[in-house]
């Protein structure tokens, strides 16, 4: 469904974005010069603080936040806190802002100007909650940016997204920032400007949506909980130029400033095998594709780089197949998980079997002492703290890893560890908060990454320094996908063993799911803007390129536009059937990714008012990619095709994915 924008408005918006085009450098945000006058001014309850691009105004009585920009715009960044805060205490000036309290809520608040941002911190002396900031209330707000998977830019008046969450929209729904968003942020575009909201205290923070007068608003809520370790809440506001990926550029700058931004170049220097990710497509292999013969067939097709993974069932890749893959220039790695434990007598997966009394002693325990049921209602989730406490003596994880890579594998896919599902554990001897769970997972991923090319599922930003690749954050998952995947008749099950239908059976998405996940006019590269040069990002492993036939062209164009690999599942028959197409796509992708995979994304923009033609730039011009998602030619670019131009190219390289199929 197209946004209901008059043609003239669409043209003006396009011109603005073209003019801004947003060179996304580390200096775009966090202007150092602002700190010299960081104390601002205070008059009554009106606190003014300098920020990059203008001045922020905080109402200390209500936490309403506004701004006036250097070019004269007046913006509402947040309405007053929803539900009220009670009467504020006295306001005290500080070196970089002010502090005050809300005694009725047990909150102490500080506001400061920090590296060009407005930073507001709250600390609670009791359990409770606050609903703030309240965003999207400014009448100039035109679109909201949401890092669901790779990222979405949603016009606030769009009819599809203003539908209820039950009908595939956002209205009335809520997302857990730490569990369901790939980056702890959101943003709004407002005319010639915009605003970025960063919430580094994402645990305990949620974002709920409402449709008010046919316009989407987003209100954050934070739960202050001593037991969860979430008594602190931190929100940073930045003024932007309104470009749809500006919030992610702001976050990249924030990560860099705080020493939290990983570098794929550094990962390659520390472990050169990481370099084999550059130019590689990813595939989980089954049946004959796990053999020397399967590897040789890919090589004969001209595939020069691949990441090959295999599940934990019977018949993993043997040493001969691994040697053949490595000789071909491919990475090879097992699927594993440290998160599930089952009774060894009845376990349905080798990765769920642990020695001694790991099961049930290491099970995450709820407050009532019962075990946290594992994924798929199998066994229990295992406590990362229990493993970390035991590891120096028992070496459960080190022993597991040595066994899994005894065939010579040089990569590892560790399911769940980098994703957002964290646990509070009440188990005796291994109690932990969600923040503690995150820290323990990071510690073990860092150990693994020293000698192996490490990946994980739907890696969130906090794991970007630990992992080199990520399966899942490329997919903006809508809730309806999980319901579809549970419908084994439609989606496919886990048989036959050598080519499970869940991975190989083609599926047609409903119109609602196709729109929510793959309509290119809503898709924007937030994740790549923030993390492209830190790790390699792909789609979910159960959503192989061939799984969704109707979306193939769109997904191929998105992959090339974002400089991210396609993800496959392969067995002998699919290599024979689809191998030539895979090889042609990979041949196009490989030189582009080798050149730009370690570069940051420096620009994203729409070239047409209907958003069908989009352009990205990497490394300040090292690679420029233009994709036409429409059906009509635009500026010489055929519909359904992509042009990529490396800095040394005289002419762009063209790919029309649909022409390669069958």
């Amino acid at each position: 469904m197209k946004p209901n924008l008059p043609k003239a408005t669409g043209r003006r918006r396009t011109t603005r974005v073209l003019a801004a085009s947003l060179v996304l450098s580390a200096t775009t945000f966090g202007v150092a010069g602002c700190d010299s006058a960081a104390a601002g001014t205070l008059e009554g309850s009106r606190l003014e603080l300098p920020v990059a691009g203008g001045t922020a105004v905080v109402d200390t009585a209500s936490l309403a936040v506004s701004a006036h920009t250097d070019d004269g715009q007046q913006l509402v960044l947040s309405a007053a806190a929803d539900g009220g805060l009670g009467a504020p205490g006295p306001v005290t000036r500080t070196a970089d802002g002010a502090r005050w309290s809300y005694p009725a809520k047990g909150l102490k608040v500080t506001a400061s100007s920090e590296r060009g941002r407005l930073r507001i911190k709250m600390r609670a002396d009791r359990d409770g909650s606050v609903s703030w900031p309240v965003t999207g209330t400014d009448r100039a707000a035109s679109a909201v940016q949401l890092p669901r998977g790779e990222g979405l830019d949603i016009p606030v008046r769009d009819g599809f997204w203003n539908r209820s969450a039950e009908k595939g929209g956002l209205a009335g729904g809520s997302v857990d920032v730490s569990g369901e968003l790939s980056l702890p942020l959101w943003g709004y575009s407002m005319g010639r400007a915009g605003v970025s909201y960063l919430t580094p205290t994402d645990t305990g923070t949620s974002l709920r949506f409402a449709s008010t007068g046919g316009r989407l608003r987003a209100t954050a809520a934070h739960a202050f909980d001593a037991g969860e370790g979430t008594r602190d809440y931190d929100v940073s506001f930045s003024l932007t130029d309104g470009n749809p990926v500006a919030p992610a550029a702001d976050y990249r700058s924030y990560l860099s400033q705080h020493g939290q931004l990983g570098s794929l170049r550094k990962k390659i220097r520390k472990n050169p095998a990481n370099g084999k990710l550059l130019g590689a497509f990813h595939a989980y292999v089954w049946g004959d594709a796990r053999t020397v013969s399967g590897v040789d067939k890919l090589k004969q097709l001209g595939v020069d780089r691949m990441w090959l993974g295999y599940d934990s069932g019977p018949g993993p890749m043997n040493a001969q197949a691994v040697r053949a893959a490595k000789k071909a220039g491919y990475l090879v790695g097992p699927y594993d998980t440290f998160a599930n434990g089952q009774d060894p007598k009845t376990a349905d997966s080798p990765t769920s079997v642990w020695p001694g009394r790991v099961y049930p002693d290491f099970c995450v325990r709820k407050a009532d002492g019962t075990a946290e049921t594992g994924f798929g209602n199998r066994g229990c989730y295992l406590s990362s703290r229990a493993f970390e406490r035991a590891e120096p003596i028992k070496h459960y994880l080190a022993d597991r890893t040595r066994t899994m890579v005894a065939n010579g594998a040089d990569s590892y896919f560790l399911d769940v560890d980098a994703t957002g599902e964290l646990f509070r554990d009440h188990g005796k001897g291994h109690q932990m908060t969600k923040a503690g769970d995150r820290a323990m997972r990071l510690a073990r991923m860092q150990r693994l990454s020293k000698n192996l090319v490490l990946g994980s599922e739907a890696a969130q930003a906090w794991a970007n320094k630990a992992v080199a690749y990520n399966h899942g954050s490329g997919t903006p998952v809508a809730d309806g996908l999980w319901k579809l995947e549970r419908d084994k008749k439609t989606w496919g099950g886990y048989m036959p063993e050598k080519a499970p239908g869940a991975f190989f059976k083609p599926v047609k998405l409903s119109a609602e799911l196709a729109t929510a996940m793959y309509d290119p006019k809503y898709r924007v590269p937030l994740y790549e803007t923030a993390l492209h040069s830190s790790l390699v990002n792909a789609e979910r492993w159960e959503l192989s390129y061939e799984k969704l036939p109707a979306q193939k062209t769109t997904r191929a164009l998105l992959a090339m536009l974002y400089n991210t690999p396609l993800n496959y599942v392969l067995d002998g028959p699919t290599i024979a059937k689809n191998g030539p197409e895979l090889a042609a796509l990979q041949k196009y992708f490989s030189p582009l990714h080798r050149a730009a995979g370690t570069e940051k994304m420096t620009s994203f923009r729409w070239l047409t008012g209907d958003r069908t033609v989009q352009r990205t730039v990497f490394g300040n011009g090292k690679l420029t990619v233009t994709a036409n998602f429409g059906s009509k030619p635009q500026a010489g670019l055929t519909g359904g095709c992509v042009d990529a131009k490396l800095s040394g190219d005289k002419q762009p390289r063209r790919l029309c994915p649909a022409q390669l199929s069958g």
Side-chain angles (χ1 to χ4, degrees):
M1 184 180 297
K2 293 184 178 180
N4 294 318
L5 291 173
K7 291 183 179 180
T9 304
R11 285 198 297 271
R12 283 199 299 270
R13 180 176 177 79
T14 303
T15 302
R16 175 186 61 75
V17 174
L18 276 167
S21 85
L22 193 64
V23 177
L24 306 172
S25 67
T27 57
T28 302
F29 300 94
V31 178
C34 288
D35 281 347
S36 61
T41 62
L42 175 67
E43 184 174 339
S45 65
R46 181 185 173 89
L47 173 66
E48 292 192 2
L49 291 170
V51 294
T55 302
V57 182
V58 181
D59 180 358
T60 60
S62 68
L63 275 184
V65 182
S66 59
H68 43 268
T69 66
D70 288 342
D71 65 357
Q73 287 191 90
Q74 302 294 318
L75 305 174
V76 177
L77 307 189
S78 173
D82 195 7
L85 297 163
V91 182
T92 303
R93 296 299 306 275
T94 63
D96 56 0
R99 67 174 183 267
W100 66 98
S101 65
Y102 299 106
K105 300 279 283 187
L107 292 176
K108 293 181 179 178
V109 181
T110 62
S112 60
S113 181
E114 185 177 289
R115 301 181 191 253
R117 300 181 186 88
L118 168 66
R119 183 183 184 188
I120 296 183
K121 298 186 291 183
M122 300 182 192
R123 171 163 287 184
D125 65 11
R126 69 196 72 162
D127 288 353
S129 65
V130 65
S131 293
W132 177 89
V134 180
T135 67
T137 62
D138 193 304
R139 285 181 295 178
S142 58
V144 58
Q145 292 87 40
L146 184 68
R148 178 189 273 182
E150 180 59 65
L152 300 170
D153 178 272
I154 300 167
V156 296
R157 290 189 178 277
D158 188 85
F160 176 83
W161 293 102
N162 273 274
R163 292 159 49 170
S164 69
E166 291 79 12
K167 294 182 178 179
L170 287 174
S174 178
V175 294
D176 179 354
V177 174
S178 73
E180 297 177 83
L181 298 184
S182 57
L183 308 169
L185 60 86
W186 70 102
Y188 272 89
S189 297
M190 303 175 181
R192 301 186 308 276
V195 60
S196 161
Y197 304 91
L198 308 183
T199 56
T201 49
D202 54 340
T203 303
T205 304
S206 58
L207 191 64
R208 64 176 185 267
F209 295 89
S211 179
T212 306
R215 297 168 55 88
L216 281 172
R217 294 182 178 180
T219 299
H222 185 79
F224 301 104
D225 187 321
E228 291 283 6
T230 60
R231 285 278 185 89
D232 291 289
Y233 184 35
D234 193 338
V235 182
S236 287
F237 302 71
S238 289
L239 297 179
T240 74
D241 67 355
N243 185 285
V245 296
D250 182 26
Y251 184 54
R252 180 188 177 86
S253 176
Y254 175 93
L255 290 174
S256 180
Q257 291 161 357
H258 291 79
Q260 298 170 7
L261 181 64
S263 164
L264 190 53
R265 281 196 186 100
K266 289 182 179 178
K267 293 170 187 176
I268 293 170
R269 284 199 296 268
K270 290 179 180 178
N271 179 5
N274 283 309
K276 293 195 286 185
L277 287 168
L278 298 176
F281 278 0
H282 294 226
Y284 281 91
V285 290
W286 304 75
D288 291 343
R290 295 184 180 184
T291 65
V292 172
S293 174
V295 171
D296 287 346
K297 287 176 182 176
L298 286 172
K299 190 66 177 177
Q300 290 163 11
L301 287 166
V303 178
D304 68 348
R305 289 277 175 97
M306 285 293 290
W307 178 92
L308 301 179
Y310 49 90
D311 76 330
S312 58
M317 289 187 79
N318 61 30
Q320 291 79 13
V322 169
R323 280 197 298 270
K326 291 167 76 172
K327 184 179 179 181
Y330 304 167
L331 286 165
V332 184
Y335 164 96
D336 196 7
T337 179
F338 298 163
N340 190 249
Q342 299 180 40
D343 185 338
K345 297 176 183 177
T346 57
D348 58 8
S349 170
T351 58
S352 298
V353 177
W354 297 89
R357 287 189 55 83
V358 167
Y359 179 87
D361 291 359
F362 284 19
C363 289
V364 171
R365 298 285 170 180
K366 302 176 186 177
D368 63 4
T370 59
E372 189 75 52
T373 304
F375 39 83
N377 295 316
R378 297 145 47 222
C380 72
Y381 277 98
L382 297 175
S383 170
S384 60
R385 185 156 193 254
F387 273 123
E388 287 300 288
R389 292 192 63 181
E391 193 63 13
I393 298 173
K394 294 293 188 179
H395 315 302
Y396 292 126
L397 302 182
D399 289 348
R400 164 67 76 85
T401 304
R402 274 193 293 270
T403 300
M404 296 291 277
V405 300
N407 60 359
D410 53 1
S411 183
Y412 215 77
F413 181 81
L414 188 61
D415 201 9
V416 178
D417 259 35
T419 194
E421 190 172 24
L422 302 167
F423 293 102
R424 182 178 178 187
D425 187 2
H426 297 267
K428 187 176 181 181
H430 48 84
Q431 295 93 333
M432 66 179 179
T433 62
K434 290 180 179 179
D437 190 12
R438 182 180 286 183
M440 302 296 168
R441 295 186 194 193
L442 272 174
R444 66 196 191 189
M445 286 192 287
Q446 291 283 16
R447 291 196 302 269
L448 278 173
S449 67
K450 290 178 181 178
N451 300 305
L452 294 164
V453 178
L454 181 65
S456 190
E457 175 194 9
Q460 293 191 310
W462 54 265
N464 86 87
K465 294 182 76 172
V467 299
Y469 67 93
N470 160 31
H471 292 166
S473 292
T475 308
V477 172
D479 289 345
L481 179 65
W482 309 131
K483 182 179 180 181
L484 178 60
E485 290 189 9
R486 288 192 294 269
D487 178 4
K488 299 305 180 188
K489 183 177 180 181
T490 302
W491 188 260
Y494 291 97
M495 296 298 289
E497 188 176 280
K498 292 186 177 182
F503 302 112
F504 286 87
K505 181 182 179 182
V507 167
K508 182 178 180 181
L509 296 178
S510 67
E512 290 78 11
L513 272 179
T515 297
M517 294 173 62
Y518 292 111
D519 191 325
K521 68 173 174 283
Y522 301 125
R523 293 286 299 263
V524 290
L526 297 178
Y527 195 90
E528 298 314 310
T529 297
L531 298 175
H532 184 267
S533 63
S534 177
L535 52 81
V536 174
N537 181 31
E539 287 214 58
R540 294 186 60 83
W541 68 312
E542 78 272 26
L543 295 176
S544 71
Y545 184 56
E546 301 290 346
K547 182 74 178 178
L548 307 173
Q551 279 73 43
K552 282 181 63 174
T553 294
T554 294
R555 295 171 80 192
L557 295 182
L558 286 168
M560 303 308 156
L561 184 68
Y562 297 168
N563 199 230
T564 56
L566 292 172
N567 211 351
Y568 284 79
V569 291
L570 298 173
D571 65 352
T574 56
I575 291 178
K577 179 183 178 183
N578 303 320
E581 180 185 2
L582 181 159
L585 289 166
Q586 193 270 336
K587 183 178 181 180
Y588 181 86
F589 174 76
S590 185
L592 308 179
H593 196 236
R594 289 188 191 215
T598 57
E599 301 288 338
K600 63 184 176 184
M601 181 181 284
T602 48
S603 177
F604 168 82
R605 53 183 174 169
W606 298 299
L607 301 187
T608 56
D610 63 2
R611 303 186 177 189
T612 57
V613 183
Q614 304 178 14
R615 176 171 291 166
T616 54
V617 181
F618 300 84
N620 291 321
K622 181 166 281 190
L623 172 66
T624 300
V625 186
T626 307
N628 184 350
F629 293 95
S631 57
K632 299 178 181 178
Q634 296 278 359
L637 179 56
T638 306
C641 297
V642 59
D643 275 352
K645 194 171 187 293
L646 292 170
S647 55
D649 290 345
K650 292 183 179 180
Q651 296 293 329
R653 309 164 186 224
R654 179 160 295 184
L655 174 73
C656 300
Q659 296 177 8
L660 304 176
S661 297

